[in-house]
Amino acid sequence: MSASAAPRTVVVVGATGNQGGGVVRALLGSKTTYESPWLVRGITRDPNSAKAKSFLADHQTIDNRLTLVAGHVYDAASLRDAFAGAYGVFAITSESYPGRVLEKEEEMQHEIEAGRNMILAAEECGVKHFVFSSLPDMVKTTGGRFLNIHHMNNKHAIEQMAREKLSGLTCLIPGFFYTNLRRPQYCQRRADGVVRFCAPIPGGQVAQWTDPTHDMGIFAARVFDMGVEKTRGKTYLVLSPRITADDMAKTFTRVTGQPAIHDPISAEEFGELTVPFVGPAFKEDAKQMMEWAAVMPADKICYGAMDADHNDSFKELGLEATSFEGWLCRSGWTGPE
């Protein structure tokens, strides 16, 4: 067997979650340019949990190319064990801290600790290709107007750290997650049955979205398939076509047959509704994110961070992120209960 045919392992952080689960599925099903298909080592906090066992059973291949191992992004030793011998890593961080309610804004810095742990483990283990789910620097993007969009700034800070430490970095930037529409700060059902899209932005304001499972999965798999030599140092935008809030409501009605409107709540209420998912520390972060989303320049993409002609993802990868209509059809989502 030639060196190029030797099985290569990609470690996927958060393997049973939205982004990680999508990457696992896409890698297992990819038509890699190498002669041998990917081996996938998924990290989960408890491989013996019912969720992990079910995931493994549902996604295992005939040739047993999927394994799940114990690991935690706040446990550096577990990451070194998980990354040992791997060719690649798909890395994500989250504003949420499992099992902890974040009370103060400074606690949001836990995400940088997680990122640092993964980067140092990848460096120590000689990982060749590190693919990271990143976001733009919102202090720079907003001209210093909004300083507390921590969950975005933290990911950008991790990206910069990875660029300094790792030679084989590729970044993916998603848009707003379609799956967030299942949360009350984005979408509600009124007493009369009308679906209310309620993100606090004007009806004519555009935004870009991402299916975190399908889109991040196929983009990450394509990047790994293309190889580190072709994709190192690059950032690919996993962003849907721009769509207004009003058009999302109209598209929802056309696809599902249900009446829908865009009727925004306030940014303050949006922030308050995020508290149960992360903790009080996230309220101002979420509020400022939507205050910026309401005024983002329409001629920019990627949260207003880039010029519209910046996106070369389709030209280089041959992939496009899912449209809202496409996500509705794929997911079968018919609005809040």
Side-chain angles (χ1 to χ4, degrees):
M1 180 179 290
S2 66
S4 63
R8 295 185 174 205
T9 297
V10 173
V11 177
V12 178
V13 176
T16 61
N18 271 342
Q19 292 189 66
V23 174
V24 168
R25 285 187 284 272
L27 283 170
L28 291 174
S30 75
K31 305 297 184 184
T32 176
T33 54
Y34 299 103
E35 296 173 30
S36 182
W38 295 112
L39 303 179
V40 180
R41 186 185 302 158
I43 294 180
T44 184
R45 289 193 301 277
D46 182 7
N48 294 313
S49 70
K51 180 180 180 181
K53 288 181 177 179
S54 176
F55 183 88
L56 183 61
D58 289 345
H59 298 94
Q60 186 58 276
T61 60
I62 294 174
D63 50 354
N64 294 314
R65 289 186 289 115
L66 174 62
T67 58
L68 293 182
V69 299
H72 199 300
V73 291
Y74 304 102
D75 181 348
S78 74
L79 292 175
R80 290 192 294 271
D81 289 343
F83 290 4
Y87 162 80
V89 167
F90 174 77
I92 58 171
T93 59
S94 173
E95 59 271 13
S96 300
Y97 193 110
R100 181 190 298 177
V101 175
L102 304 179
E103 299 287 349
K104 301 177 181 179
E105 283 194 38
E106 52 266 30
E107 293 180 63
M108 297 291 290
Q109 296 299 301
H110 73 87
E111 195 169 353
I112 293 180
E113 176 192 351
R116 181 183 297 109
N117 286 342
M118 289 188 291
I119 291 165
L120 294 178
E123 181 183 36
E124 182 173 330
C125 294
V127 169
K128 299 292 190 296
H129 201 175
F130 191 89
V131 178
F132 179 59
S133 178
S134 190
L135 285 170
D137 177 355
M138 298 310 291
V139 174
K140 178 180 178 181
T141 297
T142 68
R145 180 174 173 183
F146 297 105
L147 303 177
N148 298 317
I149 311 178
H150 302 297
H151 77 285
M152 301 182 77
N153 296 332
N154 288 344
K155 291 177 179 63
H156 178 74
I158 294 165
E159 175 187 329
Q160 298 312 302
M161 192 186 313
R163 290 191 185 280
E164 293 176 4
K165 291 282 187 181
L166 305 175
S167 62
L169 173 70
T170 306
C171 291
L172 302 176
I173 295 184
F176 293 103
F177 286 172
Y178 289 124
T179 48
N180 285 345
L181 293 170
R182 298 188 174 104
R183 295 182 172 184
Q185 65 265 38
Y186 285 92
C187 195
Q188 304 169 6
R189 188 180 294 275
R190 299 191 323 197
D192 61 3
V194 173
V195 173
R196 178 191 183 192
F197 289 82
C198 58
I201 62 175
Q205 176 66 311
V206 295
Q208 291 175 287
W209 295 75
T210 301
D211 181 339
T213 300
H214 178 268
D215 293 341
M216 294 300 285
I218 62 171
F219 272 71
R222 183 63 55 83
V223 165
F224 281 119
D225 286 347
M226 288 179 62
V228 67
E229 295 303 327
K230 292 182 179 178
T231 63
R232 74 167 76 243
K234 294 185 177 182
T235 296
Y236 296 104
L237 306 183
V238 190
L239 303 173
S240 74
R242 286 174 287 183
I243 185 171
T244 67
D246 283 344
D247 283 342
M248 289 186 78
K250 293 174 183 176
T251 299
F252 178 85
T253 295
R254 177 165 50 80
V255 172
T256 69
Q258 298 186 60
I261 60 170
H262 174 64
D263 179 21
I265 59 178
S266 68
E268 179 73 23
E269 185 178 355
F270 183 94
E272 191 64 48
L273 287 170
T274 67
V275 169
F277 300 100
V278 180
F282 192 55
K283 178 181 176 180
E284 184 64 19
D285 182 323
K287 173 176 172 286
Q288 290 197 14
M289 175 182 69
M290 298 313 293
E291 287 175 335
W292 171 246
V295 298
M296 289 187 304
D299 61 341
K300 299 280 189 178
I301 62 172
C302 192
Y303 306 96
M306 300 177 184
D307 293 330
D309 61 358
H310 181 87
N311 193 359
D312 294 327
S313 296
F314 179 75
K315 182 172 69 176
E316 294 193 19
L317 303 181
L319 296 174
E320 293 180 305
T322 306
S323 68
F324 182 49
E325 180 172 352
W327 179 74
L328 288 173
C329 293
R330 180 190 301 121
S331 68
W333 185 69
T334 55
E337 296 297 325

